[in-house]
Amino acid sequence: MAREKVFSGEIEKIEVLNSENPEQEAPELEEEEFQELYRLMMLARKFDEKAFSLQRRGEISTYAPHKGQEAAQIGAIYPLNDEDWVVPSFRETAAFITRGAPLEKIFRRWMGDANGQKGLAELNTLPVSIPVGTQNLHTAGLGMAMSFKEDNNIVVGFTGDGSTSEGDFHEALNFAGVYDAHSVFFVQNNHYAISMPFEKQTNSDTVAQKALAYGIDGLQVDGNDVLAVIKAMREVMDRARNGEPTLLEAVTYRLEDHTTSDDSTRYRDKEEIESWNEHDPLSRFKQFLEENGMWSDELADYEKEAEEKIDKAANKAMDMDDPEFDELFDYVYGDMPEILEKEKTDLRKEVAE
Ligand SMILES: Cc1ncc(C[n+]2csc(CCOP(=O)(O)OP(=O)(O)O)c2C)c(N)n1
């Protein structure tokens, strides 16, 4: 019986900070850019803390924290051009901040006001997708359009490890490969889909290797290392601009509960969280700045400044009038069914009261 090897593949991982491999260097950035990255990470962390407390006070009904995932999200957005597109899922607050969405609007969205999503088109950013994995089709579709138009732009779409078990994810990767989409599928593997650990989610060792089945590139990166993420992004963006899509897996960890409605102590132990706290993306990056002579008194003071900025934005959001609810109903059907029309009227009445 004749037998020959018809396929083989491997997946590489990019790391920069605390790497034992001295050959791995930081991406080329100006000193101010390194410092700006730290400020963005601190601002995103403070947003998270504030949103949590607003939820506890009843100003926000549910919030999905990103603590621990700042490096992944900020590193994915930072290297993009304004003309590139961003497709978020639901945990991407740090990404929205980096893309330049006004803080008060982000708060407003978490408060349930559709006005919080207005104006995103100017930032070439799609609205949040809550149904898990569906946004991967948007990432594929936008990337295919870029390929058909033969332009030089790319799209970065966020998705979680849990979403990689959804059919949409696989359809998206398949189409992206077949049509040379300018797409980067950015998976934040934060180790859990609510209470489902990664080991039970899939029998694959990595998410990135799933790319190989679709004939696209797969790469893994330390997602708690903002410099590694920027390096990986620069590499895969260059390829995506030329019609070579990538599945980029950022290995990270959700340091908080899944949402404010979750209690993660019921499915993971303290030791695990503590061990990931030691890889906190903020403290790792701070250490890098200190070791490379880029830490300053101003940066040390920024924590307070960030808190003030966030408080101001939250107050502004709470002062805003006229929340938009109609759009919850308006774009679901071409012709709105009666039952939905009634729900819309009822909600309007309830809100007015
Ligand atoms: C289609 C669909 N099924 C189930 C849910 C409920 N749900 C919300 S988040 C979530 C887990 C998603 O996990 P992952 O993709 O790893 O993203 P993470 O929450 O970790 O950021 C689930 C099952 C949903 N929103 N949509």
mmCIF file with all atom_site columns, all heavy atoms in Angstrom, residues 69 90-92 130-134 159-164 166 188 190 192-194 201 254 258, ligand 1:
data_model
loop_
_atom_site.group_PDB
_atom_site.id
_atom_site.type_symbol
_atom_site.label_atom_id
_atom_site.label_alt_id
_atom_site.label_comp_id
_atom_site.label_asym_id
_atom_site.label_entity_id
_atom_site.label_seq_id
_atom_site.pdbx_PDB_ins_code
_atom_site.Cartn_x
_atom_site.Cartn_y
_atom_site.Cartn_z
_atom_site.occupancy
_atom_site.B_iso_or_equiv
_atom_site.pdbx_formal_charge
_atom_site.auth_seq_id
_atom_site.auth_comp_id
_atom_site.auth_asym_id
_atom_site.auth_atom_id
_atom_site.pdbx_PDB_model_num
ATOM   1   N N   . GLN A 1 69  ? -7.116  41.487 29.693 1.00 0.00 ? 69  GLN A N   1
ATOM   2   C CA  . GLN A 1 69  ? -7.086  41.357 28.232 1.00 0.00 ? 69  GLN A CA  1
ATOM   3   C C   . GLN A 1 69  ? -6.732  42.684 27.539 1.00 0.00 ? 69  GLN A C   1
ATOM   4   O O   . GLN A 1 69  ? -6.880  42.818 26.329 1.00 0.00 ? 69  GLN A O   1
ATOM   5   C CB  . GLN A 1 69  ? -8.440  40.825 27.726 1.00 0.00 ? 69  GLN A CB  1
ATOM   6   C CG  . GLN A 1 69  ? -8.751  39.440 28.281 1.00 0.00 ? 69  GLN A CG  1
ATOM   7   C CD  . GLN A 1 69  ? -10.060 38.835 27.798 1.00 0.00 ? 69  GLN A CD  1
ATOM   8   O OE1 . GLN A 1 69  ? -10.748 38.190 28.578 1.00 0.00 ? 69  GLN A OE1 1
ATOM   9   N NE2 . GLN A 1 69  ? -10.421 39.028 26.544 1.00 0.00 ? 69  GLN A NE2 1
ATOM   10  N N   . PHE A 1 90  ? -18.251 41.360 22.174 1.00 0.00 ? 90  PHE A N   1
ATOM   11  C CA  . PHE A 1 90  ? -18.918 42.115 23.254 1.00 0.00 ? 90  PHE A CA  1
ATOM   12  C C   . PHE A 1 90  ? -17.996 42.520 24.400 1.00 0.00 ? 90  PHE A C   1
ATOM   13  O O   . PHE A 1 90  ? -18.403 43.233 25.303 1.00 0.00 ? 90  PHE A O   1
ATOM   14  C CB  . PHE A 1 90  ? -20.085 41.306 23.838 1.00 0.00 ? 90  PHE A CB  1
ATOM   15  C CG  . PHE A 1 90  ? -19.689 39.892 24.169 1.00 0.00 ? 90  PHE A CG  1
ATOM   16  C CD1 . PHE A 1 90  ? -19.013 39.604 25.326 1.00 0.00 ? 90  PHE A CD1 1
ATOM   17  C CD2 . PHE A 1 90  ? -19.958 38.865 23.274 1.00 0.00 ? 90  PHE A CD2 1
ATOM   18  C CE1 . PHE A 1 90  ? -18.609 38.311 25.611 1.00 0.00 ? 90  PHE A CE1 1
ATOM   19  C CE2 . PHE A 1 90  ? -19.568 37.566 23.553 1.00 0.00 ? 90  PHE A CE2 1
ATOM   20  C CZ  . PHE A 1 90  ? -18.893 37.285 24.720 1.00 0.00 ? 90  PHE A CZ  1
ATOM   21  N N   . ARG A 1 91  ? -16.730 42.028 24.395 1.00 0.00 ? 91  ARG A N   1
ATOM   22  C CA  . ARG A 1 91  ? -15.845 42.301 25.540 1.00 0.00 ? 91  ARG A CA  1
ATOM   23  C C   . ARG A 1 91  ? -14.759 43.313 25.151 1.00 0.00 ? 91  ARG A C   1
ATOM   24  O O   . ARG A 1 91  ? -13.768 43.468 25.856 1.00 0.00 ? 91  ARG A O   1
ATOM   25  C CB  . ARG A 1 91  ? -15.194 40.978 25.997 1.00 0.00 ? 91  ARG A CB  1
ATOM   26  C CG  . ARG A 1 91  ? -14.661 41.000 27.420 1.00 0.00 ? 91  ARG A CG  1
ATOM   27  C CD  . ARG A 1 91  ? -13.985 39.691 27.777 1.00 0.00 ? 91  ARG A CD  1
ATOM   28  N NE  . ARG A 1 91  ? -14.918 38.596 27.841 1.00 0.00 ? 91  ARG A NE  1
ATOM   29  C CZ  . ARG A 1 91  ? -15.805 38.405 28.815 1.00 0.00 ? 91  ARG A CZ  1
ATOM   30  N NH1 . ARG A 1 91  ? -15.865 39.236 29.832 1.00 0.00 ? 91  ARG A NH1 1
ATOM   31  N NH2 . ARG A 1 91  ? -16.633 37.376 28.780 1.00 0.00 ? 91  ARG A NH2 1
ATOM   32  N N   . GLU A 1 92  ? -14.964 44.013 24.025 1.00 0.00 ? 92  GLU A N   1
ATOM   33  C CA  . GLU A 1 92  ? -13.849 44.761 23.447 1.00 0.00 ? 92  GLU A CA  1
ATOM   34  C C   . GLU A 1 92  ? -13.776 46.231 23.854 1.00 0.00 ? 92  GLU A C   1
ATOM   35  O O   . GLU A 1 92  ? -13.436 47.096 23.054 1.00 0.00 ? 92  GLU A O   1
ATOM   36  C CB  . GLU A 1 92  ? -13.882 44.638 21.919 1.00 0.00 ? 92  GLU A CB  1
ATOM   37  C CG  . GLU A 1 92  ? -13.185 43.412 21.397 1.00 0.00 ? 92  GLU A CG  1
ATOM   38  C CD  . GLU A 1 92  ? -13.880 42.122 21.809 1.00 0.00 ? 92  GLU A CD  1
ATOM   39  O OE1 . GLU A 1 92  ? -15.032 41.908 21.425 1.00 0.00 ? 92  GLU A OE1 1
ATOM   40  O OE2 . GLU A 1 92  ? -13.268 41.326 22.546 1.00 0.00 ? 92  GLU A OE2 1
ATOM   41  N N   . ILE A 1 130 ? -23.483 40.452 20.009 1.00 0.00 ? 130 ILE A N   1
ATOM   42  C CA  . ILE A 1 130 ? -23.663 39.632 21.214 1.00 0.00 ? 130 ILE A CA  1
ATOM   43  C C   . ILE A 1 130 ? -23.820 38.147 20.862 1.00 0.00 ? 130 ILE A C   1
ATOM   44  O O   . ILE A 1 130 ? -23.301 37.285 21.580 1.00 0.00 ? 130 ILE A O   1
ATOM   45  C CB  . ILE A 1 130 ? -24.881 40.112 22.033 1.00 0.00 ? 130 ILE A CB  1
ATOM   46  C CG1 . ILE A 1 130 ? -24.730 41.601 22.401 1.00 0.00 ? 130 ILE A CG1 1
ATOM   47  C CG2 . ILE A 1 130 ? -25.066 39.261 23.286 1.00 0.00 ? 130 ILE A CG2 1
ATOM   48  C CD1 . ILE A 1 130 ? -23.811 41.926 23.532 1.00 0.00 ? 130 ILE A CD1 1
ATOM   49  N N   . PRO A 1 131 ? -24.531 37.778 19.781 1.00 0.00 ? 131 PRO A N   1
ATOM   50  C CA  . PRO A 1 131 ? -24.642 36.341 19.474 1.00 0.00 ? 131 PRO A CA  1
ATOM   51  C C   . PRO A 1 131 ? -23.243 35.776 19.157 1.00 0.00 ? 131 PRO A C   1
ATOM   52  O O   . PRO A 1 131 ? -22.582 36.238 18.227 1.00 0.00 ? 131 PRO A O   1
ATOM   53  C CB  . PRO A 1 131 ? -25.551 36.287 18.244 1.00 0.00 ? 131 PRO A CB  1
ATOM   54  C CG  . PRO A 1 131 ? -26.192 37.639 18.162 1.00 0.00 ? 131 PRO A CG  1
ATOM   55  C CD  . PRO A 1 131 ? -25.220 38.604 18.775 1.00 0.00 ? 131 PRO A CD  1
ATOM   56  N N   . VAL A 1 132 ? -22.821 34.846 19.966 1.00 0.00 ? 132 VAL A N   1
ATOM   57  C CA  . VAL A 1 132 ? -21.420 34.410 19.938 1.00 0.00 ? 132 VAL A CA  1
ATOM   58  C C   . VAL A 1 132 ? -21.002 33.891 18.557 1.00 0.00 ? 132 VAL A C   1
ATOM   59  O O   . VAL A 1 132 ? -21.628 32.990 18.008 1.00 0.00 ? 132 VAL A O   1
ATOM   60  C CB  . VAL A 1 132 ? -21.181 33.333 21.018 1.00 0.00 ? 132 VAL A CB  1
ATOM   61  C CG1 . VAL A 1 132 ? -19.841 32.643 20.833 1.00 0.00 ? 132 VAL A CG1 1
ATOM   62  C CG2 . VAL A 1 132 ? -21.256 33.969 22.397 1.00 0.00 ? 132 VAL A CG2 1
ATOM   63  N N   . GLY A 1 133 ? -19.963 34.489 18.018 1.00 0.00 ? 133 GLY A N   1
ATOM   64  C CA  . GLY A 1 133 ? -19.335 33.993 16.779 1.00 0.00 ? 133 GLY A CA  1
ATOM   65  C C   . GLY A 1 133 ? -19.884 34.566 15.496 1.00 0.00 ? 133 GLY A C   1
ATOM   66  O O   . GLY A 1 133 ? -19.221 34.490 14.457 1.00 0.00 ? 133 GLY A O   1
ATOM   67  N N   . THR A 1 134 ? -21.068 35.171 15.534 1.00 0.00 ? 134 THR A N   1
ATOM   68  C CA  . THR A 1 134 ? -21.683 35.643 14.280 1.00 0.00 ? 134 THR A CA  1
ATOM   69  C C   . THR A 1 134 ? -20.832 36.698 13.583 1.00 0.00 ? 134 THR A C   1
ATOM   70  O O   . THR A 1 134 ? -20.855 36.805 12.359 1.00 0.00 ? 134 THR A O   1
ATOM   71  C CB  . THR A 1 134 ? -23.083 36.233 14.540 1.00 0.00 ? 134 THR A CB  1
ATOM   72  O OG1 . THR A 1 134 ? -22.990 37.183 15.602 1.00 0.00 ? 134 THR A OG1 1
ATOM   73  C CG2 . THR A 1 134 ? -24.076 35.153 14.931 1.00 0.00 ? 134 THR A CG2 1
ATOM   74  N N   . THR A 1 159 ? -12.873 37.668 18.323 1.00 0.00 ? 159 THR A N   1
ATOM   75  C CA  . THR A 1 159 ? -13.738 36.551 18.692 1.00 0.00 ? 159 THR A CA  1
ATOM   76  C C   . THR A 1 159 ? -13.098 35.819 19.879 1.00 0.00 ? 159 THR A C   1
ATOM   77  O O   . THR A 1 159 ? -11.923 36.012 20.167 1.00 0.00 ? 159 THR A O   1
ATOM   78  C CB  . THR A 1 159 ? -13.988 35.664 17.448 1.00 0.00 ? 159 THR A CB  1
ATOM   79  O OG1 . THR A 1 159 ? -15.186 34.947 17.587 1.00 0.00 ? 159 THR A OG1 1
ATOM   80  C CG2 . THR A 1 159 ? -12.837 34.705 17.185 1.00 0.00 ? 159 THR A CG2 1
ATOM   81  N N   . GLY A 1 160 ? -13.895 34.999 20.578 1.00 0.00 ? 160 GLY A N   1
ATOM   82  C CA  . GLY A 1 160 ? -13.366 34.326 21.765 1.00 0.00 ? 160 GLY A CA  1
ATOM   83  C C   . GLY A 1 160 ? -13.119 32.843 21.513 1.00 0.00 ? 160 GLY A C   1
ATOM   84  O O   . GLY A 1 160 ? -13.558 32.295 20.499 1.00 0.00 ? 160 GLY A O   1
ATOM   85  N N   . ASP A 1 161 ? -12.421 32.210 22.448 1.00 0.00 ? 161 ASP A N   1
ATOM   86  C CA  . ASP A 1 161 ? -12.133 30.773 22.290 1.00 0.00 ? 161 ASP A CA  1
ATOM   87  C C   . ASP A 1 161 ? -13.427 29.967 22.184 1.00 0.00 ? 161 ASP A C   1
ATOM   88  O O   . ASP A 1 161 ? -13.521 29.024 21.396 1.00 0.00 ? 161 ASP A O   1
ATOM   89  C CB  . ASP A 1 161 ? -11.258 30.244 23.431 1.00 0.00 ? 161 ASP A CB  1
ATOM   90  C CG  . ASP A 1 161 ? -11.699 30.736 24.798 1.00 0.00 ? 161 ASP A CG  1
ATOM   91  O OD1 . ASP A 1 161 ? -11.520 31.934 25.078 1.00 0.00 ? 161 ASP A OD1 1
ATOM   92  O OD2 . ASP A 1 161 ? -12.240 29.923 25.575 1.00 0.00 ? 161 ASP A OD2 1
ATOM   93  N N   . GLY A 1 162 ? -14.437 30.357 22.959 1.00 0.00 ? 162 GLY A N   1
ATOM   94  C CA  . GLY A 1 162 ? -15.706 29.623 22.910 1.00 0.00 ? 162 GLY A CA  1
ATOM   95  C C   . GLY A 1 162 ? -16.345 29.697 21.530 1.00 0.00 ? 162 GLY A C   1
ATOM   96  O O   . GLY A 1 162 ? -16.925 28.716 21.049 1.00 0.00 ? 162 GLY A O   1
ATOM   97  N N   . SER A 1 163 ? -16.211 30.848 20.886 1.00 0.00 ? 163 SER A N   1
ATOM   98  C CA  . SER A 1 163 ? -16.848 31.038 19.577 1.00 0.00 ? 163 SER A CA  1
ATOM   99  C C   . SER A 1 163 ? -16.252 30.122 18.512 1.00 0.00 ? 163 SER A C   1
ATOM   100 O O   . SER A 1 163 ? -16.869 29.892 17.480 1.00 0.00 ? 163 SER A O   1
ATOM   101 C CB  . SER A 1 163 ? -16.714 32.487 19.131 1.00 0.00 ? 163 SER A CB  1
ATOM   102 O OG  . SER A 1 163 ? -15.481 32.689 18.496 1.00 0.00 ? 163 SER A OG  1
ATOM   103 N N   . THR A 1 164 ? -15.059 29.596 18.769 1.00 0.00 ? 164 THR A N   1
ATOM   104 C CA  . THR A 1 164 ? -14.425 28.758 17.747 1.00 0.00 ? 164 THR A CA  1
ATOM   105 C C   . THR A 1 164 ? -15.112 27.395 17.625 1.00 0.00 ? 164 THR A C   1
ATOM   106 O O   . THR A 1 164 ? -14.768 26.596 16.762 1.00 0.00 ? 164 THR A O   1
ATOM   107 C CB  . THR A 1 164 ? -12.915 28.556 18.011 1.00 0.00 ? 164 THR A CB  1
ATOM   108 O OG1 . THR A 1 164 ? -12.747 27.800 19.205 1.00 0.00 ? 164 THR A OG1 1
ATOM   109 C CG2 . THR A 1 164 ? -12.191 29.873 18.138 1.00 0.00 ? 164 THR A CG2 1
ATOM   110 N N   . GLU A 1 166 ? -18.385 27.418 17.185 1.00 0.00 ? 166 GLU A N   1
ATOM   111 C CA  . GLU A 1 166 ? -19.608 27.755 16.446 1.00 0.00 ? 166 GLU A CA  1
ATOM   112 C C   . GLU A 1 166 ? -19.386 27.554 14.947 1.00 0.00 ? 166 GLU A C   1
ATOM   113 O O   . GLU A 1 166 ? -18.292 27.824 14.427 1.00 0.00 ? 166 GLU A O   1
ATOM   114 C CB  . GLU A 1 166 ? -19.979 29.232 16.690 1.00 0.00 ? 166 GLU A CB  1
ATOM   115 C CG  . GLU A 1 166 ? -20.402 29.541 18.113 1.00 0.00 ? 166 GLU A CG  1
ATOM   116 C CD  . GLU A 1 166 ? -21.865 29.184 18.381 1.00 0.00 ? 166 GLU A CD  1
ATOM   117 O OE1 . GLU A 1 166 ? -22.570 28.785 17.434 1.00 0.00 ? 166 GLU A OE1 1
ATOM   118 O OE2 . GLU A 1 166 ? -22.285 29.282 19.547 1.00 0.00 ? 166 GLU A OE2 1
ATOM   119 N N   . GLN A 1 188 ? -9.207  36.024 21.122 1.00 0.00 ? 188 GLN A N   1
ATOM   120 C CA  . GLN A 1 188 ? -8.676  36.165 22.481 1.00 0.00 ? 188 GLN A CA  1
ATOM   121 C C   . GLN A 1 188 ? -9.005  34.866 23.202 1.00 0.00 ? 188 GLN A C   1
ATOM   122 O O   . GLN A 1 188 ? -10.150 34.646 23.604 1.00 0.00 ? 188 GLN A O   1
ATOM   123 C CB  . GLN A 1 188 ? -9.337  37.335 23.197 1.00 0.00 ? 188 GLN A CB  1
ATOM   124 C CG  . GLN A 1 188 ? -8.922  38.688 22.631 1.00 0.00 ? 188 GLN A CG  1
ATOM   125 C CD  . GLN A 1 188 ? -9.708  39.804 23.276 1.00 0.00 ? 188 GLN A CD  1
ATOM   126 O OE1 . GLN A 1 188 ? -9.331  40.287 24.335 1.00 0.00 ? 188 GLN A OE1 1
ATOM   127 N NE2 . GLN A 1 188 ? -10.784 40.222 22.644 1.00 0.00 ? 188 GLN A NE2 1
ATOM   128 N N   . ASN A 1 190 ? -9.071  33.473 26.228 1.00 0.00 ? 190 ASN A N   1
ATOM   129 C CA  . ASN A 1 190 ? -8.968  33.842 27.652 1.00 0.00 ? 190 ASN A CA  1
ATOM   130 C C   . ASN A 1 190 ? -9.257  32.632 28.550 1.00 0.00 ? 190 ASN A C   1
ATOM   131 O O   . ASN A 1 190 ? -9.548  32.767 29.724 1.00 0.00 ? 190 ASN A O   1
ATOM   132 C CB  . ASN A 1 190 ? -9.870  35.034 27.985 1.00 0.00 ? 190 ASN A CB  1
ATOM   133 C CG  . ASN A 1 190 ? -11.355 34.722 27.821 1.00 0.00 ? 190 ASN A CG  1
ATOM   134 O OD1 . ASN A 1 190 ? -11.739 33.570 27.625 1.00 0.00 ? 190 ASN A OD1 1
ATOM   135 N ND2 . ASN A 1 190 ? -12.191 35.739 27.914 1.00 0.00 ? 190 ASN A ND2 1
ATOM   136 N N   . TYR A 1 192 ? -11.656 30.622 28.993 1.00 0.00 ? 192 TYR A N   1
ATOM   137 C CA  . TYR A 1 192 ? -13.007 30.221 29.410 1.00 0.00 ? 192 TYR A CA  1
ATOM   138 C C   . TYR A 1 192 ? -14.078 30.788 28.489 1.00 0.00 ? 192 TYR A C   1
ATOM   139 O O   . TYR A 1 192 ? -13.971 31.917 28.012 1.00 0.00 ? 192 TYR A O   1
ATOM   140 C CB  . TYR A 1 192 ? -13.323 30.719 30.844 1.00 0.00 ? 192 TYR A CB  1
ATOM   141 C CG  . TYR A 1 192 ? -12.579 29.941 31.900 1.00 0.00 ? 192 TYR A CG  1
ATOM   142 C CD1 . TYR A 1 192 ? -11.329 30.360 32.325 1.00 0.00 ? 192 TYR A CD1 1
ATOM   143 C CD2 . TYR A 1 192 ? -13.113 28.774 32.431 1.00 0.00 ? 192 TYR A CD2 1
ATOM   144 C CE1 . TYR A 1 192 ? -10.620 29.630 33.274 1.00 0.00 ? 192 TYR A CE1 1
ATOM   145 C CE2 . TYR A 1 192 ? -12.417 28.038 33.378 1.00 0.00 ? 192 TYR A CE2 1
ATOM   146 C CZ  . TYR A 1 192 ? -11.174 28.470 33.793 1.00 0.00 ? 192 TYR A CZ  1
ATOM   147 O OH  . TYR A 1 192 ? -10.477 27.745 34.726 1.00 0.00 ? 192 TYR A OH  1
ATOM   148 N N   . ALA A 1 193 ? -15.106 29.981 28.255 1.00 0.00 ? 193 ALA A N   1
ATOM   149 C CA  . ALA A 1 193 ? -16.348 30.474 27.661 1.00 0.00 ? 193 ALA A CA  1
ATOM   150 C C   . ALA A 1 193 ? -17.376 30.352 28.787 1.00 0.00 ? 193 ALA A C   1
ATOM   151 O O   . ALA A 1 193 ? -17.885 29.264 29.058 1.00 0.00 ? 193 ALA A O   1
ATOM   152 C CB  . ALA A 1 193 ? -16.748 29.631 26.466 1.00 0.00 ? 193 ALA A CB  1
ATOM   153 N N   . ILE A 1 194 ? -17.615 31.444 29.449 1.00 0.00 ? 194 ILE A N   1
ATOM   154 C CA  . ILE A 1 194 ? -18.292 31.461 30.758 1.00 0.00 ? 194 ILE A CA  1
ATOM   155 C C   . ILE A 1 194 ? -17.583 30.432 31.648 1.00 0.00 ? 194 ILE A C   1
ATOM   156 O O   . ILE A 1 194 ? -16.393 30.617 31.927 1.00 0.00 ? 194 ILE A O   1
ATOM   157 C CB  . ILE A 1 194 ? -19.824 31.224 30.657 1.00 0.00 ? 194 ILE A CB  1
ATOM   158 C CG1 . ILE A 1 194 ? -20.433 32.113 29.537 1.00 0.00 ? 194 ILE A CG1 1
ATOM   159 C CG2 . ILE A 1 194 ? -20.486 31.593 31.997 1.00 0.00 ? 194 ILE A CG2 1
ATOM   160 C CD1 . ILE A 1 194 ? -21.954 32.075 29.428 1.00 0.00 ? 194 ILE A CD1 1
ATOM   161 N N   . GLN A 1 201 ? -13.469 22.713 25.691 1.00 0.00 ? 201 GLN A N   1
ATOM   162 C CA  . GLN A 1 201 ? -14.067 23.384 24.532 1.00 0.00 ? 201 GLN A CA  1
ATOM   163 C C   . GLN A 1 201 ? -13.678 22.676 23.236 1.00 0.00 ? 201 GLN A C   1
ATOM   164 O O   . GLN A 1 201 ? -14.471 22.570 22.306 1.00 0.00 ? 201 GLN A O   1
ATOM   165 C CB  . GLN A 1 201 ? -13.557 24.836 24.492 1.00 0.00 ? 201 GLN A CB  1
ATOM   166 C CG  . GLN A 1 201 ? -14.153 25.716 23.436 1.00 0.00 ? 201 GLN A CG  1
ATOM   167 C CD  . GLN A 1 201 ? -15.612 25.999 23.688 1.00 0.00 ? 201 GLN A CD  1
ATOM   168 O OE1 . GLN A 1 201 ? -16.455 25.572 22.907 1.00 0.00 ? 201 GLN A OE1 1
ATOM   169 N NE2 . GLN A 1 201 ? -15.907 26.684 24.772 1.00 0.00 ? 201 GLN A NE2 1
ATOM   170 N N   . ARG A 1 254 ? -8.970  35.881 31.411 1.00 0.00 ? 254 ARG A N   1
ATOM   171 C CA  . ARG A 1 254 ? -9.975  36.796 31.952 1.00 0.00 ? 254 ARG A CA  1
ATOM   172 C C   . ARG A 1 254 ? -9.813  36.818 33.469 1.00 0.00 ? 254 ARG A C   1
ATOM   173 O O   . ARG A 1 254 ? -10.112 35.827 34.134 1.00 0.00 ? 254 ARG A O   1
ATOM   174 C CB  . ARG A 1 254 ? -11.373 36.308 31.525 1.00 0.00 ? 254 ARG A CB  1
ATOM   175 C CG  . ARG A 1 254 ? -12.515 36.918 32.274 1.00 0.00 ? 254 ARG A CG  1
ATOM   176 C CD  . ARG A 1 254 ? -13.852 36.652 31.617 1.00 0.00 ? 254 ARG A CD  1
ATOM   177 N NE  . ARG A 1 254 ? -14.234 35.245 31.510 1.00 0.00 ? 254 ARG A NE  1
ATOM   178 C CZ  . ARG A 1 254 ? -14.625 34.482 32.538 1.00 0.00 ? 254 ARG A CZ  1
ATOM   179 N NH1 . ARG A 1 254 ? -14.646 34.956 33.749 1.00 0.00 ? 254 ARG A NH1 1
ATOM   180 N NH2 . ARG A 1 254 ? -14.965 33.232 32.338 1.00 0.00 ? 254 ARG A NH2 1
ATOM   181 N N   . HIS A 1 258 ? -17.023 36.359 34.125 1.00 0.00 ? 258 HIS A N   1
ATOM   182 C CA  . HIS A 1 258 ? -17.457 36.460 32.723 1.00 0.00 ? 258 HIS A CA  1
ATOM   183 C C   . HIS A 1 258 ? -18.234 37.762 32.493 1.00 0.00 ? 258 HIS A C   1
ATOM   184 O O   . HIS A 1 258 ? -17.976 38.520 31.566 1.00 0.00 ? 258 HIS A O   1
ATOM   185 C CB  . HIS A 1 258 ? -18.323 35.246 32.366 1.00 0.00 ? 258 HIS A CB  1
ATOM   186 C CG  . HIS A 1 258 ? -19.012 35.361 31.050 1.00 0.00 ? 258 HIS A CG  1
ATOM   187 N ND1 . HIS A 1 258 ? -18.328 35.251 29.855 1.00 0.00 ? 258 HIS A ND1 1
ATOM   188 C CD2 . HIS A 1 258 ? -20.306 35.595 30.733 1.00 0.00 ? 258 HIS A CD2 1
ATOM   189 C CE1 . HIS A 1 258 ? -19.198 35.415 28.853 1.00 0.00 ? 258 HIS A CE1 1
ATOM   190 N NE2 . HIS A 1 258 ? -20.389 35.630 29.365 1.00 0.00 ? 258 HIS A NE2 1
HETATM 191 C C1  . LIG B 2 .   ? -25.147 32.118 19.904 1.00 0.00 ? 1   LIG B C1  1
HETATM 192 C C2  . LIG B 2 .   ? -24.969 32.366 21.370 1.00 0.00 ? 1   LIG B C2  1
HETATM 193 N N1  . LIG B 2 .   ? -24.980 31.333 22.230 1.00 0.00 ? 1   LIG B N1  1
HETATM 194 C C3  . LIG B 2 .   ? -24.798 31.549 23.559 1.00 0.00 ? 1   LIG B C3  1
HETATM 195 C C4  . LIG B 2 .   ? -24.632 32.813 24.039 1.00 0.00 ? 1   LIG B C4  1
HETATM 196 C C5  . LIG B 2 .   ? -24.425 33.050 25.530 1.00 0.00 ? 1   LIG B C5  1
HETATM 197 N N2  . LIG B 2 .   ? -23.010 33.398 25.735 1.00 0.00 ? 1   LIG B N2  1
HETATM 198 C C6  . LIG B 2 .   ? -22.622 34.670 25.905 1.00 0.00 ? 1   LIG B C6  1
HETATM 199 S S1  . LIG B 2 .   ? -20.967 34.805 26.065 1.00 0.00 ? 1   LIG B S1  1
HETATM 200 C C7  . LIG B 2 .   ? -20.742 33.142 25.929 1.00 0.00 ? 1   LIG B C7  1
HETATM 201 C C8  . LIG B 2 .   ? -19.358 32.548 25.993 1.00 0.00 ? 1   LIG B C8  1
HETATM 202 C C9  . LIG B 2 .   ? -18.448 33.075 24.947 1.00 0.00 ? 1   LIG B C9  1
HETATM 203 O O1  . LIG B 2 .   ? -17.159 32.617 25.174 1.00 0.00 ? 1   LIG B O1  1
HETATM 204 P P1  . LIG B 2 .   ? -15.933 33.097 24.319 1.00 0.00 ? 1   LIG B P1  1
HETATM 205 O O2  . LIG B 2 .   ? -16.262 33.027 22.872 1.00 0.00 ? 1   LIG B O2  1
HETATM 206 O O3  . LIG B 2 .   ? -14.740 32.349 24.773 1.00 0.00 ? 1   LIG B O3  1
HETATM 207 O O4  . LIG B 2 .   ? -15.804 34.648 24.681 1.00 0.00 ? 1   LIG B O4  1
HETATM 208 P P2  . LIG B 2 .   ? -15.545 35.327 26.110 1.00 0.00 ? 1   LIG B P2  1
HETATM 209 O O5  . LIG B 2 .   ? -16.872 35.467 26.775 1.00 0.00 ? 1   LIG B O5  1
HETATM 210 O O6  . LIG B 2 .   ? -14.611 34.468 26.875 1.00 0.00 ? 1   LIG B O6  1
HETATM 211 O O7  . LIG B 2 .   ? -14.960 36.658 25.809 1.00 0.00 ? 1   LIG B O7  1
HETATM 212 C C10 . LIG B 2 .   ? -21.962 32.498 25.746 1.00 0.00 ? 1   LIG B C10 1
HETATM 213 C C11 . LIG B 2 .   ? -22.105 31.055 25.598 1.00 0.00 ? 1   LIG B C11 1
HETATM 214 C C12 . LIG B 2 .   ? -24.647 33.876 23.109 1.00 0.00 ? 1   LIG B C12 1
HETATM 215 N N3  . LIG B 2 .   ? -24.467 35.152 23.480 1.00 0.00 ? 1   LIG B N3  1
HETATM 216 N N4  . LIG B 2 .   ? -24.796 33.624 21.790 1.00 0.00 ? 1   LIG B N4  1
#
